[in-house]
Amino acid sequence: MELTGKKIILGLTGGIACYKSAEFLREMIRAGASVNVVMTQNATQFITPMTMQALSGNPVYVSQWDEPITNALAHIHITRDADAFVVAPCTANFMAKLANGIADDLLSSLSLARPRHLPFMVAPAMNVEMWQNPATQRNLAQLREDGIGVLGPASGAQACGDVGMGRMLEPLELLQEVVAALQPKSLAGKRVLITAGPTFEPIDPVRGITNLSSGKMGYALARAAREAGAEVLLVSGPTALATPYGITRIDVQTAQQMYDTVMGNVSDQDIFIAVAAVADWRVANASTQKMKKSEKGDAPQLQFAQNPDILASVAALKKRPYCVGFAAESEDLLKHAEAKRKSKNIPLLVGNIGHETFGKDENTLVLFDDKGHVELPRSDKQDLARQLIANVAKRLT
Ligand code: C5P
């Protein structure tokens, strides 16, 4: 699990988004974390310490004068052995305190006394006017300058009836951010372009040819690259997957659209990872109207034209990013994969067996380069994606 063995401090300040923090806490526990909750007095007006205690299985701290805190230095010790500290929701008032180093209750004292190496994040949640107020924006800039991770906020309908910036991120998005904060930043400052999913080649307006790629491996790589500090652009064929938080996604249908989008965005990329299962052919005589069944029972005759090879085209550019290809083979992986790496003229090709990966959450990867091949043993796709990103990062240095 993604947070196994990790100790997280979760701070709550007084806002209506506190109800989402119960779910956020639950998600962190599900991911294997042990969580200590600290609440401001105002937060207890929105959700009870009892709820957070029952969900975390740990005592909840509100004041430094509470029973469970037996010595006056507790505000220093609670964070000493923690792996991450996140304040969610973080009110405008608490942002102001953080920006100015004010320590007038347990949570603000803990924040000020946190060890310098401890990843510290806040998830702002407030009314849109409060968010846009120049005072809050000044404080926001100060938090960023101080190296505090600011998660969100998102835009949308607010509890007070307004619509705009200031909604706290959703529990699963917050979970992704905490997991991300704990990953090594091996691709800091790099730009990564990834293709993912199948393509869809129309036959007529309601029919088409596609394949069994779910997009899971490409999306997992997009998430892993962002966790490693990269700016990620994901060009995706039709999938049922949610965009990982913090990633720009452009949706396409056909191989030609995917090619155009990649070629239009590749010039300033450091790394290109082609994971998409791109159709080799499109229907050259696709109909603009829905084809009708013929009375005589004649079947339509489809003609095919070859699609551009996106990966080979990027690899052929004069100023090219570091290119990584994927190969899904049904048999004889070793032979086909190495041949493919050479023919596409790319430094790294990742092989997998089609029926073992399509639609599955787990996979086995074999990495082919000019020195031979190594296997990343069967594991969860997100875990493999992190290993692959770490491997690619090493090749760049
Ligand atoms: O040639 P083949 O489809 O087996 O190669 C697979 C690799 O090439 C994958 O990385 C895939 O994303 C990429 N590819 C591509 N454009 C195509 C066909 C494949 O980028 N038209």
Side-chain angles (χ1 to χ4, degrees):
M1 287 182 294
E2 292 180 312
L3 293 178
T4 300
K6 300 294 181 197
K7 181 177 164 189
I8 314 291
I9 309 290
L10 170 62
L12 273 72
T13 65
I16 183 60
C18 277
Y19 81 92
K20 291 199 217 170
S21 299
E23 186 64 28
F24 173 40
L25 166 59
R26 200 78 189 96
E27 293 295 345
M28 288 196 283
I29 303 274
R30 232 178 255 152
S34 114
V35 183
N36 281 103
V37 177
V38 182
M39 300 171 69
T40 63
Q41 199 67 52
N42 283 346
T44 67
Q45 297 289 327
F46 291 91
I47 191 163
T48 67
M50 182 55 75
T51 301
M52 301 308 275
Q53 176 168 336
L55 293 176
S56 68
N58 283 319
V60 170
Y61 306 121
V62 178
S63 152
Q64 51 265 65
W65 321 122
D66 278 351
E67 267 299 293
I69 302 180
T70 49
N71 75 64
L73 295 178
H75 60 285
I76 296 187
H77 289 295
I78 299 177
T79 56
R80 275 292 137 89
D81 58 345
D83 296 290
F85 184 178
V86 49
V87 178
C90 182
T91 58
N93 185 56
F94 201 75
M95 284 176 68
K97 285 197 206 182
L98 290 175
N100 290 284
I102 293 173
D104 62 354
D105 62 5
L106 179 61
L107 186 58
S108 53
S109 301
L110 275 176
S111 304
L112 195 62
R114 70 186 186 276
R116 214 175 285 177
H117 66 266
L118 179 65
F120 183 57
M121 292 156 273
V122 299
M126 68 197 69
N127 165 270
V128 56
E129 297 293 348
M130 276 181 155
W131 175 254
Q132 285 169 352
N133 190 295
T136 304
Q137 292 299 309
R138 262 198 317 274
N139 292 332
L140 172 67
Q142 186 62 53
L143 299 194
R144 293 208 168 111
E145 198 183 316
D146 294 348
I148 296 175
V150 180
L151 316 180
S155 184
Q158 303 203 309
C160 55
D162 283 351
V163 176
M165 281 295 272
R167 281 173 60 88
M168 188 169 83
L169 295 190
E170 298 305 319
L172 283 174
E173 293 173 330
L174 291 175
L175 178 72
Q176 285 185 24
E177 288 297 88
V178 171
V179 172
L182 298 174
Q183 307 303 321
K185 302 294 166 218
S186 57
L187 288 182
K190 301 282 187 219
R191 297 168 68 96
V192 181
L193 176 59
I194 297 175
T195 64
T199 61
F200 181 91
E201 307 296 331
I203 295 172
D204 69 15
V206 295
R207 303 186 182 92
I209 297 174
T210 186
N211 61 64
L212 288 176
S213 167
S214 64
K216 283 180 186 166
M217 194 67 225
Y219 278 56
L221 275 161
R223 185 177 161 193
R226 189 203 173 232
E227 287 174 352
E231 191 179 316
V232 181
L233 176 61
L234 178 63
V235 180
S236 175
T239 73
L241 302 174
T243 312
Y245 182 70
I247 283 163
T248 309
R249 166 173 155 185
I250 302 177
D251 286 327
V252 296
Q253 273 210 323
T254 64
Q256 186 63 48
Q257 289 165 355
M258 190 174 271
Y259 172 88
D260 293 340
T261 308
V262 166
M263 295 317 261
N265 285 281
V266 75
S267 64
D268 53 357
Q269 302 291 334
D270 300 294
I271 300 169
F272 175 54
I273 311 181
V275 198
V278 185
D280 291 319
W281 303 281
R282 64 180 173 275
V283 180
N285 57 344
S287 168
T288 52
Q289 289 174 359
K290 187 182 170 194
M291 292 173 163
K292 296 272 180 278
K293 234 190 290 183
S294 103
E295 297 279 301
K296 288 188 272 165
D298 293 343
Q301 300 295 313
L302 298 182
Q303 281 154 21
F304 291 94
Q306 186 141 349
N307 276 326
D309 188 315
I310 305 166
L311 177 56
S313 308
V314 172
L317 293 171
K318 213 181 254 157
K319 186 181 157 283
R320 67 177 201 170
Y322 187 87
C323 290
V324 181
F326 266 71
E329 299 294 341
S330 53
E331 70 287 317
D332 240 344
L333 179 66
L334 294 192
K335 196 173 96 201
H336 292 308
E338 181 50 20
K340 193 163 290 183
R341 188 185 77 77
K342 290 215 175 93
S343 75
K344 299 213 184 221
N345 188 24
I346 55 173
L348 179 63
L349 186 116
V350 183
N352 50 48
I353 301 287
H355 64 268
E356 289 183 5
T357 176
F358 279 162
K360 303 249 166 62
D361 289 328
E362 290 198 333
N363 200 2
T364 308
L365 299 180
V366 188
L367 277 50
F368 296 83
D369 64 11
D370 56 359
K371 297 194 184 68
H373 65 270
V374 289
E375 186 179 310
L376 303 183
R378 192 160 188 80
S379 182
D380 171 73
K381 282 184 177 171
Q382 193 58 60
D383 179 44
L384 285 172
R386 291 195 184 106
Q387 293 183 50
L388 181 57
I389 288 296
N391 188 296
V392 170
K394 253 197 250 146
R395 292 166 191 271
L396 291 185
T397 53

